Amino acid sequence: MGSCVPFDDDTSFAERVKSLADSELLEIWEETQQIERLLQSELHVNVTIAPDYEKVIVEELRLRASRA
């Protein structure tokens, strides 16, 4: 995934994204979407792996864009 350095388990995902590059954030989002689609197509279930990930990633990218 995006970072090869493991995070402290006590750190929230919202805090973790602050230390990741834009490309890493987009990679995490893309991978979760791919896994969800694979599970839905193979198991024929409507599953959402991490519904909050997308929201947190988009918010972080918006914040970064507004600072630029």
Side-chain angles (χ1 to χ4, degrees):
M1 201 176 273
S3 177
C4 63
V5 179
F7 291 110
D8 178 8
D9 287 342
D10 294 333
T11 306
S12 70
F13 183 72
E15 287 298 315
R16 294 175 188 187
V17 299
K18 294 177 183 179
S19 66
L20 298 174
D22 292 356
S23 60
E24 292 174 313
L25 294 176
L26 293 172
E27 184 178 331
I28 292 169
W29 177 81
E30 180 181 13
E31 288 177 357
T32 57
Q33 295 299 307
Q34 289 174 353
I35 293 168
E36 284 179 7
R37 282 192 296 272
L38 177 66
L39 289 173
Q40 289 172 357
S41 68
E42 294 295 319
L43 301 177
H44 307 290
V45 294
N46 190 11
V47 63
T48 302
I49 295 176
D52 294 333
Y53 278 23
E54 182 175 4
K55 178 182 174 188
V56 170
I57 289 170
V58 169
E59 287 177 7
E60 179 65 23
L61 291 172
R62 282 186 185 153
L63 178 63
R64 292 177 186 187
S66 70
R67 291 181 187 162

